[in-house]
Amino acid sequence: MDVGERVDRAVTVMAEHWIGRKWEFLAQANEEFSAFVDPAAYYRDCLSDREAAFLSACFTEWVLFDRPLFRGATPLRAFIEHPVGDVSEDDLDCLRQIERTHFVTRFAIGRKHADAGTVEVRDVRTGLRYLVLDPHLCGVDRWRDGSISMRVACVDDVWQTVGRVHLYDRAPPGAYGQDGPGEVHPEDLVLRPEVASAGFYLRLLRDVIGFEGRYQQSSVFVGS
């Protein structure tokens, strides 16, 4: 089993545990997500299956990795601290590495290594460069210029995607300066000061899929 398969298995084990207990938190989490992000798709009469699946993936990723659940712990951390069932030590080790290192940002896309399933990327916000294992990103030919927003983590010294959401922006990576998608915007400090503590990923979703998102109307982002 390669490191990518190992990560997929561990995250699936964790996610399936919380799916089985979703009645404990799902309604409140959905209210929070809907109120903050306010997806534009919710205002249409009918969602396509693809749109519904994409919104579900956005919500699920936020709930599992970012939303505090028990005494400030995310579902990911809570699962690590209180493992249940027959979860293996290998899965827990993988999840611990993910919990320590995962983050979401906007990456400028560099050279792709299709045979290895890796891509060279540069964090637009920090300038740091990474070699990321992501066969899906490598396989989408049109994702070359512009930037890609996604969640990555380092497991066994390999950086790789650990979320299911990719948000591709056709605009040049530097087009927005320091006030790009996901950042705290000047108007937020006056109109919605709570935005500052919401986290980059939730702000990013608000900006690109929200009904009044800064970049929703321009349709420069393509989700997958």
Side-chain angles (χ1 to χ4, degrees):
M1 179 182 296
D2 63 29
V3 66
E5 293 173 332
R6 181 174 175 233
V7 165
D8 285 344
R9 184 190 67 188
V11 171
T12 298
V13 167
M14 184 266 296
E16 288 181 346
H17 166 73
W18 291 115
I19 289 172
R21 299 180 61 183
K22 63 183 179 181
W23 55 271
E24 297 181 18
F25 59 88
L26 187 63
Q28 183 177 350
N30 187 60
E31 288 179 6
E32 293 172 12
F33 183 86
S34 298
F36 188 90
V37 177
D38 194 22
Y42 286 177
Y43 292 83
R44 293 198 286 274
D45 292 334
C46 183
L47 291 179
S48 69
D49 291 344
R50 186 173 183 271
E51 288 174 322
F54 176 67
L55 287 172
S56 177
C58 290
F59 171 74
T60 300
E61 184 167 325
W62 169 67
V63 168
L64 292 177
F65 290 96
D66 294 335
R67 182 181 181 269
L69 185 59
F70 299 113
R71 299 177 182 176
T74 64
L76 171 59
R77 175 175 283 277
F79 185 83
I80 293 169
E81 293 177 347
H82 303 285
V84 295
D86 58 353
V87 58
S88 70
E89 183 57 36
D90 185 66
D91 286 339
L92 286 174
D93 174 64
C94 184
L95 292 171
R96 291 187 190 104
Q97 293 185 65
I98 293 172
E99 202 279 330
R100 288 196 301 266
T101 62
H102 77 91
F103 69 98
V104 179
T105 193
R106 294 170 52 233
F107 292 104
I109 302 171
R111 184 181 177 188
K112 294 182 178 182
H113 307 274
D115 291 344
T118 58
V119 57
E120 300 171 22
V121 297
R122 174 177 55 82
D123 186 337
V124 173
R125 306 176 75 208
T126 66
L128 296 177
R129 297 178 182 274
Y130 301 84
L131 179 66
V132 175
L133 176 64
D134 190 334
H136 178 63
L137 172 55
C138 286
V140 182
D141 289 338
R142 68 180 183 280
W143 290 354
R144 291 194 172 275
D145 301 318
S147 63
I148 195 84
S149 296
M150 58 191 183
R151 187 180 304 270
V152 300
C154 188
V155 177
D156 295 345
D157 297 322
V158 177
W159 283 98
Q160 57 195 287
T161 48
V162 293
R164 303 295 186 189
V165 176
H166 293 80
L167 288 165
Y168 175 68
D169 185 357
R170 294 189 293 267
Y176 311 110
Q178 298 301 310
D179 193 26
E183 305 298 342
V184 178
H185 308 304
E187 66 270 21
D188 293 330
L189 301 178
V190 177
L191 301 175
R192 299 189 67 182
E194 72 276 12
V195 167
S197 60
F200 180 80
Y201 178 66
L202 204 60
R203 294 196 302 265
L204 177 70
L205 293 177
R206 177 197 64 155
D207 277 349
V208 303
I209 68 172
F211 182 71
E212 294 185 347
R214 264 193 170 207
Y215 303 97
Q216 191 272 136
Q217 291 294 333
S218 62
S219 299
V220 297
F221 275 82
V222 179
S224 176

